Amino acid sequence: MNAWDKRFGDEEYVYGTEPNVFLESIQPTLPRHGNSLSIAEGEGRNAVFLAEQGLTVEAWDYAQNGLDKVDKLARDRGVQIQTRLVDLADATWEPDKWDEVVCIFGHFPSETRKKTLQGIRKSVKPGGYFVSEVYSEYQIPYQSGGPKELDFLYTPEEFLTEFKGWRMVHFFMGEVTRNEGNLHKGLSHVIQCVFQKK
């Protein structure tokens, strides 16, 4: 059992059951059909929201306890989601598979992060989207959640380099307030992005 299994082991949804505010605000501007992948999904709040918008959704996470809660939340909300236990350090990315890939507060060591961003670039279909909100490298002094190790936090250059040549729909780095369950609370420093593959 890994640390995320322990974190998700209780009945309480530690990040809540409502979608991330940025995802909720941007998703209505994107297509409401196609195949969506939500990585590092946790307990299901974002995957369920995507399914409610009409997308066919697959959720990946490293913790089976989290995926069990994804399944429960999907049943409770009357949508279907396919779940897969995936360690992103060893993930297989099929080319041109997804209409949308979503990463909300998915934090992992820099080596895994590089592989993951490269995998996303490969696996999004032409015309498809990558949507993300994550903590930036400036988050450490904030008391609102997220990793306290610099290697787990993002820089804008990572996104701008990996998705060079894609259409930039939205890009922001700065302060936002987040109240998502017990573990994301208060003023935060984030990076948001939406890129469309040409």
Side-chain angles (χ1 to χ4, degrees), residues 107 135 139 144-148 153 183-184:
H107 291 271
Y135 289 119
Q139 173 66 14
S144 50
K148 293 303 181 188
L153 298 168
L183 298 182
H184 286 174

Side-chain angles (χ1 to χ4, degrees), residues 58-75:
E58 186 167 310
W60 291 2
D61 202 87
Y62 182 52
Q64 185 60 54
N65 282 341
L67 294 176
D68 291 344
K69 291 167 89 170
V70 175
D71 290 333
K72 181 181 185 304
L73 187 61
R75 287 194 306 271

Side-chain angles (χ1 to χ4, degrees), residues 71-139:
D71 290 333
K72 181 181 185 304
L73 187 61
R75 287 194 306 271
D76 291 347
R77 300 262 280 265
V79 295
Q80 290 189 333
I81 294 172
Q82 183 175 353
T83 57
R84 284 184 56 200
L85 187 65
V86 175
D87 181 347
L88 289 168
D90 301 313
T92 299
W93 295 90
E94 297 180 40
D96 299 337
K97 179 175 176 63
W98 304 105
D99 295 290
E100 179 179 6
V101 175
V102 172
C103 177
I104 302 296
F105 296 121
H107 291 271
F108 2 90
S110 55
E111 183 178 345
T112 299
R113 191 163 67 249
K114 184 174 179 61
K115 286 182 185 177
T116 300
L117 294 177
Q118 289 174 345
I120 292 167
R121 182 181 178 89
K122 173 183 175 182
S123 69
V124 172
K125 297 176 183 177
Y129 293 86
F130 171 53
V131 178
S132 186
E133 180 175 84
V134 290
Y135 289 119
S136 84
E137 61 186 337
Y138 299 107
Q139 173 66 14

Side-chain angles (χ1 to χ4, degrees), residues 19 23-24 26-38 41 44-59 74 77-82 97-103 124-125 127-131:
L23 179 63
E24 186 176 31
I26 203 73
Q27 191 63 41
T29 71
L30 304 179
R32 291 175 174 257
H33 58 83
N35 297 319
S36 179
L37 171 66
S38 184
E41 171 54 29
R45 64 196 180 103
N46 297 310
V48 165
F49 168 74
L50 293 169
E52 289 173 336
Q53 308 313 299
L55 292 155
T56 301
V57 181
E58 186 167 310
R77 300 262 280 265
V79 295
Q80 290 189 333
I81 294 172
Q82 183 175 353
K97 179 175 176 63
W98 304 105
D99 295 290
E100 179 179 6
V101 175
V102 172
C103 177
V124 172
K125 297 176 183 177
Y129 293 86
F130 171 53
V131 178

Side-chain angles (χ1 to χ4, degrees), residues 13 34 62 75 102 118 134 140 144 150 154 171 185 198:
Y13 282 74
Y62 182 52
R75 287 194 306 271
V102 172
Q118 289 174 345
V134 290
I140 288 177
S144 50
L150 191 61
Y154 290 76
F171 197 88
K185 278 197 171 182
K198 292 183 178 178

Side-chain angles (χ1 to χ4, degrees), residues 7 9 14 16 29 37 81 93 107 109 157 161-162 167 169 183:
R7 177 168 290 185
V14 295
T29 71
L37 171 66
I81 294 172
W93 295 90
H107 291 271
E157 290 82 6
T161 299
E162 194 57 53
R167 184 171 77 94
V169 178
L183 298 182

